[in-house]
């Protein structure tokens, strides 16, 4: 929010804080491994993450977002329907929460997004505005939002997803009413509100050289030639394992050659779920490819990943049966993709030996409510053998509130007797060697209460 001093250099001041957090956090990354943000800072690169403000209530989620990334992007809270759901009624709560978080953690904020056909309230989309009226509506929205965050937001996705797959302009209320110059007009408005902001056009399926990125390239060339304040293009990069375009580096280069910054703005690389170890390794190689394509070009400003962990990704809702696309898994543990980014940024890329066996306990449990609705929830649990002896046949028990029923389970047999829930390993995961773990899940019905249990027993012995 606007204050008297501007703090655009925050991401270059961040390493000391980040390292302190890394050393104190006890994260699955080993204490001696620098966090991604430190490695990225050494290259002057953005290493960002999309964050949902309400998920910052989850301590592990917040810890990763703060510790590993030098930049955050609002996953939804800065979109038009969130900020100005009714004409003239601005709601800043979610947007402010993440901006405050970024300030507290010395992070830059990448602004997403101002003018987009989606998540656009119906008072704009169906308002029947004339061209001058719509320009007035845009001017009010853009200037109010950009001005409010001028101290905190260095880059803006001013226009999002303006193109069809064939490189023509997408039909939207903006294009229908104002023609393609709505893009230049939006950029001019954002520039007037904050002359220091770096202004971007952002889109998906424009990572390689193809008809759609050709359309973006034609537009970008023309805006640059006309002196319109365009400073960069965002390649969203919602990719599929095995399908990173081979022309990605050449594509980044051609935009950089126009004098533009290129940012990989929404990286995730999805696969069928649950991902096998082989798929996770292939995914890691694809993360490496994306980082190599960016880091090989001077004008590439960095990468933002679209979410903290697989438990909260948008993908399964839109592509059922797909997901597991992010560098942290459903339990917020690092995946091979994390270590691929680490290595691409100059780290050792070595996960190390894993968490130290706990001399005082024999097991550790991560219990994650990964989805929840009125009367149901999906829960994922990982149990790890932190003792020094192999557990041959495990049974994990905890208590849960009355009124909950287990309706299905996977990778374990889960039963409930009274208030005690018991999960037993199945044939392929019943043995836990020292340091070994098993992950299982189950679905419940409930009566409005989904607590996280605070005590577990593995074969009758208390876990941490
Ligand atoms: O907040 C409501 C909640 O109250 C309600 O109970 C629930 C029921 O479905 O919906 C919640 O809103 C959802 C919102 O995310 C917040 O979780 C919307 O339904 C859902 O459509 C929305 O999805 C977002 C999507 O953009 C919308 O288009 C995703 O989180 C977000 O990751 C995704 O991000 C986009 C980028 O902005 C642009 N590029 C593509 C990318 C992925 O689709």
């Amino acid at each position: 929010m606007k204050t008297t001093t501007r703090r655009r250099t925050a991401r270059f001041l961040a390493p000391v804080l980040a390292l302190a957090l890394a050393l104190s956090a006890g994260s699955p990354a080993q204490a001696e491994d620098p966090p991604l943000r430190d490695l990225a800072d050494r290259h002057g690169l953005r290493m960002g993450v999309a964050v949902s403000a309400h998920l910052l209530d989850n301590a592990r989620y917040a810890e990763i977002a703060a510790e590993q990334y030098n930049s955050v992007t609002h996953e939804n809270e800065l979109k038009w329907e969130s900020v100005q759901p009714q004409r003239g009624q601005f709601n800043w709560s979610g947007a402010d929460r993440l901006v405050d978080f970024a300030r507290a953690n010395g992070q830059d904020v990448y602004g997403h997004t101002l003018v987009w056909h989606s998540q656009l309230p119906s008072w704009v989309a169906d308002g029947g505005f004339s061209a001058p009226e719509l320009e007035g509506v845009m001017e009010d929205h853009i200037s109010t939002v950009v001005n409010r965050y001028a101290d905190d937001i260095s880059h803006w996705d001013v226009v999002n997803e303006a193109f069809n797959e064939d490189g023509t302009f997408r039909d939207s209320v903006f294009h229908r009413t104002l023609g393609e110059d709505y893009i230049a007009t939006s950029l001019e408005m954002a520039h007037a509100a904050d002359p220091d902001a770096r202004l971007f056009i952002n889109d998906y399926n424009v990572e390689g050289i193809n008809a759609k990125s050709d359309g973006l390239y034609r537009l970008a060339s023309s805006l640059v030639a006309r002196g319109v304040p365009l400073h960069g293009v965002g390649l969203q990069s919602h990719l599929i394992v095995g399908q990173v375009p081979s022309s990605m580096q050449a594509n980044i280069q051609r935009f950089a050659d126009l004098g533009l910054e290129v940012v990989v703005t929404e990286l995730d690389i999805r696969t069928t779920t649950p991902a096998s170890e082989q798929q996770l390794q292939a995914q890691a190689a694809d993360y490496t490819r994306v980082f190599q394509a960016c880091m090989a070009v001077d004008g590439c400003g960095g990468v933002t990943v679209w979410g903290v962990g697989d438990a909260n990704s948008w993908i399964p809702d839109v592509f059922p049966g797909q997901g597991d696309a992010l560098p942290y898994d459903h339990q917020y543990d690092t995946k091979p993709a994390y270590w691929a980014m680490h290595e691409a940024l100059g780290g050792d890329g070595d996960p190390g030996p894993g968490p130290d066996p706990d001399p005082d306990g024999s097991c550790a449990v991560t219990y994650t409510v990964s989805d929840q609705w009125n009367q149901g929830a999906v829960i994922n649990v990982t149990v790890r053998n932190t003792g020094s002896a192999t557990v041959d046949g495990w049974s994990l028990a905890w208590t849960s509130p009355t009124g909950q029923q287990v309706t299905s389970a996977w990778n374990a047999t889960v039963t409930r007797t009274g208030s005690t829930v018991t999960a037993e390993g199945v044939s392929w995961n019943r043995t836990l060697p020292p340091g070994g773990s098993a992950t299982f899940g189950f679905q419940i019905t409930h009566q409005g209460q989904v607590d996280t249990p605070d005590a577990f027993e593995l074969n009758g012995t208390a876990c941490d």
Side-chain angles (χ1 to χ4, degrees):
M1 295 127 284
K2 218 166 178 55
T3 56
T4 45
T5 18
R6 298 173 75 82
R7 47 156 299 278
R8 287 296 167 67
T9 52
R11 69 195 172 104
F12 301 106
L13 302 176
V16 175
L17 174 67
L19 184 60
L21 281 165
L23 291 173
S24 64
S27 116
Q30 301 301 293
E32 64 271 19
D33 286 316
L36 298 174
R37 62 184 286 174
D38 276 15
L39 297 170
D41 282 339
R42 291 176 196 166
H43 300 274
L45 285 176
R46 178 183 305 276
M47 180 70 252
V49 62
V51 170
S52 281
H54 69 279
L55 293 176
L56 292 171
D57 291 339
N58 177 326
R60 177 71 182 135
Y61 180 100
E63 177 189 80
I64 295 169
E67 174 191 321
Q68 295 293 334
Y69 299 99
N70 63 21
S71 166
V72 291
T73 301
H74 297 76
E75 187 167 351
N76 288 298
E77 297 81 354
L78 266 181
K79 293 170 181 175
W80 199 315
E81 74 171 8
S82 303
V83 165
Q84 196 185 176
Q86 305 292 334
R87 190 169 190 178
Q89 290 178 14
F90 288 86
N91 171 9
W92 306 110
S93 54
D96 279 1
R97 182 167 181 192
L98 186 58
V99 169
D100 289 343
F101 177 87
R103 280 189 174 192
N105 292 296
Q107 293 166 306
D108 192 26
V109 184
Y110 187 102
H112 176 80
T113 178
L114 295 167
V115 177
W116 187 27
H117 67 278
S118 179
Q119 288 181 285
L120 184 66
S122 60
W123 72 265
V124 183
D126 309 320
F129 296 117
S130 67
E133 285 168 344
L134 185 60
E135 281 195 354
V137 164
M138 288 163 59
E139 212 284 323
D140 187 35
H141 184 78
I142 292 171
S143 65
T144 305
V145 180
V146 172
N147 198 267
R148 178 179 179 83
Y149 295 114
D151 292 335
D152 299 281
I153 297 188
S154 65
H155 290 54
W156 274 104
D157 287 335
V158 176
V159 176
N160 196 36
E161 300 177 2
F163 288 94
N164 295 314
E165 296 304 298
D166 65 0
T168 58
F169 287 101
R170 180 196 286 272
D171 178 53
S172 70
V173 67
F174 303 109
H175 188 263
R176 262 195 315 281
T177 312
L178 299 169
E180 68 182 69
D181 252 359
Y182 86 86
I183 298 171
T185 302
S186 303
L187 291 160
E188 300 282 8
M189 289 171 176
H191 185 64
D194 181 4
D196 293 335
R198 308 262 301 158
L199 306 180
F200 278 58
I201 301 172
N202 189 50
D203 217 321
Y204 61 90
N205 288 352
V206 293
E207 293 74 31
I209 295 178
N210 57 33
K212 191 171 186 179
S213 66
D214 284 349
L216 176 61
Y217 183 77
R218 280 192 299 275
L219 173 70
S221 309
S222 135
L223 293 173
V224 168
R226 287 165 56 191
V228 173
L230 173 72
H231 307 107
V233 294
L235 314 182
Q236 290 187 8
S237 306
H238 296 293
L239 301 173
I240 298 172
V241 169
Q243 297 181 30
V244 177
S246 55
S247 55
M248 189 162 182
Q249 182 181 325
N251 192 40
I252 294 173
Q253 186 69 60
R254 69 172 169 162
F255 285 102
D257 289 344
L258 294 175
L260 295 172
E261 182 181 349
V262 180
V263 174
V264 173
T265 48
E266 303 182 16
L267 180 63
D268 48 34
I269 310 185
R270 63 184 181 266
T271 184
T272 50
T273 54
S276 65
E277 187 54 35
Q278 195 182 10
Q279 285 169 311
L280 294 179
Q281 294 299 337
Q283 180 180 64
D286 283 347
Y287 269 81
T288 301
R289 287 186 184 97
V290 170
F291 272 73
Q292 284 174 342
C294 172
M295 293 175 76
V297 180
D298 267 351
C300 189
V303 175
T304 284
V305 294
W306 202 244
V308 171
D310 289 335
N312 312 110
S313 165
W314 64 285
I315 294 171
D317 288 341
V318 176
F319 299 105
Q322 296 183 51
D324 289 357
L326 290 167
Y328 283 82
D329 67 15
H330 292 262
Q331 285 75 40
Y332 299 110
D333 284 336
T334 52
K335 293 165 59 181
Y338 171 91
W339 294 105
M341 299 197 298
H342 198 265
E343 188 167 16
L345 289 167
D348 65 9
D350 179 4
D356 290 337
D358 181 346
D360 301 323
S362 60
C363 45
V365 175
T366 314
Y367 185 99
T368 309
V369 181
S370 57
D371 198 5
Q372 188 178 338
W373 56 96
N374 290 348
Q375 293 190 313
V378 174
I379 290 160
N380 283 297
V381 181
T382 296
V383 53
R384 185 183 299 280
N385 175 7
T386 57
S388 51
T390 294
V391 175
D392 187 12
W394 58 267
S395 172
L396 186 72
W398 65 93
T399 58
S400 77
T402 51
Q404 287 188 6
Q405 297 300 329
V406 177
T407 53
S408 62
W410 48 98
N411 297 339
T413 304
V414 183
T415 51
R416 181 182 170 112
T417 310
S419 61
T420 302
V421 181
T422 305
E424 291 179 339
V426 287
S427 57
W428 63 90
N429 67 7
R430 66 185 301 280
T431 304
L432 297 178
S437 65
T439 296
F440 62 95
F442 57 100
Q443 188 163 325
I444 59 167
T445 56
H446 62 83
Q447 295 171 345
Q449 199 185 354
V450 189
D451 294 341
T452 301
D454 50 16
F456 296 87
E457 284 186 359
L458 180 66
N459 294 351
T461 304
C463 296
D464 296 332

